[in-house]
Amino acid sequence: MADKGLTYAEAGVDIDAGNRMVDLIKPLVRATRRPGADAEIGGFGGLFDLKRTGFKDPVLVAATDGVGTKLKIAIDTGRHDTIGIDLVAMSVNDLVVQGAEPLFFLDYFACGKLAPETGALIVKGVAAGCKEAGCALIGGETAEMPGLYRDGDYDLAGFAVGAAERDALLPRADIGAGDVVLGLASSGIHSNGYSLARRVVEVSGLGWDAPAPFDKSKTLGEALLTPTRIYVKSCLAAMRETTALKGLAHITGGGFPDNIPRVLPDGTGVALDLSRVPVLPVFKWLAATGGIAEPEMLRTFNCGIGMIAIVESARADAVTDVLTRAGETVVQLGKVTAAGAGVPRVAYSGRLALG
């Protein structure tokens, strides 16, 4: 009788586990259907019928991102049900700043050893984020890679595609001095700066199960895993109901100084009053515990503002009203200014309320 040869499963890859995960997530994916996306997952590619969306002269907009080292907290705490929301948020928020409505999303999940139930929890979060953003989860990929990832470790990437009418793309070319800068409150750290945040946790000596010093109703791990806010529906409403929204900036890595200039025309900048920023308790704790200076806070974290909107001055109240009715907390942070050579594109007055 011939000796038994090696198998893929013995090498660390379990195809049956992958198939089980697909079965577990099919109902989750089905719940994200929208006009244009009706197919089941399991094919070699995801299908989307752009004609069914009703766009007249569409331009497709694509974005991709991950979650960064926030994943490490999810892994260390065993809390996997919301990290998928972060994954969706990071891409769809980048779509809406271009004026685009998110249409569909695909995810990539890589791990050392696949645990189908854990994978399904992650996709549950992805599906929840897609439903909140109004886009369909039309496919994805699961990769089991023993030797590259340790058992229990995993990584996520997301890919989103949206569409905008050609004449509604953002930012608009007429952004100019006098336009108002609005800030939309964040839900927490979102998904940037976690390498520094985790270092602060190390300095504090606290475990993930300890009560969060800035929110006693939650453990530290639970509080730091608060999902990234998805601004899609509120910002789309402001665009469509007022036509006064000229530009949006998603405040991710690089904070105010690196992200706001990305949507400003040459020769313009912004003047912001930092005392108006609704600094969340988590940022006050990070700054105090880590001894982090204000400039570092502003470039590493969102500090309480996850999205910036640039609007016509005369209609700033109308835009604020739409955003507020859509569930956003909105503050007026400053105005667009003329900025010549050698002048900072983002200038500040006041101080962050970090104390």
Side-chain angles (χ1 to χ4, degrees):
M1 182 173 169
D3 292 336
K4 179 184 176 184
L6 290 173
T7 66
Y8 208 9
E10 289 172 340
V13 179
D14 188 343
I15 294 174
D16 291 334
N19 291 335
R20 170 166 167 72
M21 179 173 161
V22 170
D23 289 338
L24 289 172
I25 67 176
K26 278 185 177 180
L28 303 172
V29 173
R30 200 174 295 128
T32 70
R33 285 177 168 175
R34 54 153 292 155
D38 296 318
E40 290 279 347
I41 61 168
F44 287 95
L47 303 178
F48 192 90
D49 184 357
L50 185 59
K51 187 176 181 179
R52 291 190 55 200
T53 62
F55 283 93
K56 297 175 181 177
D57 185 20
V59 174
L60 294 179
V61 183
T64 183
D65 210 337
V67 182
T69 60
K70 189 173 187 175
L71 283 174
K72 184 63 175 169
I73 302 177
I75 292 167
D76 288 350
T77 61
R79 300 180 65 93
H80 309 288
D81 56 334
T82 62
I83 201 73
I85 299 175
D86 293 286
L87 183 67
V88 174
M90 295 305 289
S91 285
V92 298
N93 284 342
D94 281 354
L95 292 184
V96 79
V97 301
Q98 303 283 158
E101 173 188 340
L103 300 176
F104 60 86
F105 188 87
L106 297 95
D107 68 297
Y108 174 77
F109 170 54
C111 60
K113 183 175 178 57
L114 180 60
E117 288 73 18
T118 297
L121 277 176
I122 294 166
V123 176
K124 179 181 179 182
V126 174
C130 285
K131 290 174 69 175
E132 188 175 345
C135 65
L137 178 58
I138 65 170
E141 176 68 14
T142 300
E144 195 172 19
M145 296 188 281
L148 187 59
Y149 295 94
R150 294 179 300 180
D151 287 356
D153 282 351
Y154 61 86
D155 198 9
L156 295 173
F159 312 86
V161 174
E165 297 290 2
R166 192 177 304 273
D167 60 2
L169 286 166
L170 296 179
R172 281 168 35 182
D174 63 342
I175 292 175
D179 287 334
V180 168
V181 179
L182 301 177
L184 281 61
S186 67
S187 56
I189 305 178
H190 285 183
S191 296
N192 295 100
Y194 273 86
S195 293
L196 179 54
R198 291 187 302 109
R199 184 70 184 97
V200 172
V201 172
E202 290 180 16
V203 169
S204 75
L206 295 172
W208 297 123
D209 291 334
F214 49 88
D215 185 352
K216 299 296 186 181
S217 68
K218 299 177 181 178
T219 66
L220 181 58
E222 182 183 7
L224 291 181
L225 285 173
T226 299
T228 304
R229 186 164 181 80
I230 294 176
Y231 298 96
V232 169
K233 291 183 178 178
S234 59
C235 288
L236 287 176
M239 289 178 224
R240 293 166 178 172
E241 294 183 33
T242 71
T243 68
L245 204 157
K246 294 186 174 185
L248 291 165
H250 186 197
I251 305 304
T252 55
F256 290 166
D258 286 1
N259 286 294
I260 297 176
R262 296 168 68 180
V263 302
L264 296 175
D266 291 341
T268 62
V270 294
L272 306 180
D273 182 352
L274 295 180
S275 69
R276 298 183 179 182
V277 174
V279 180
L280 297 173
V282 62
F283 297 114
K284 297 179 182 182
W285 179 76
L286 288 169
T289 306
I292 306 171
E294 183 180 84
E296 185 69 17
M297 291 293 296
L298 285 166
R299 200 173 187 198
T300 304
F301 301 111
N302 67 63
C303 295
I305 295 294
M307 183 73 75
I308 290 288
I310 299 173
V311 304
E312 297 174 18
S313 176
R315 303 176 71 189
D317 287 344
V319 175
T320 299
D321 181 61
V322 174
L323 291 170
T324 301
R325 282 190 282 109
E328 303 297 348
T329 299
V330 185
V331 293
Q332 185 168 322
L333 293 178
K335 291 191 175 183
V336 176
T337 60
V343 177
R345 302 292 299 282
V346 181
Y348 305 115
S349 62
R351 299 292 301 273
L352 290 174
L354 293 173

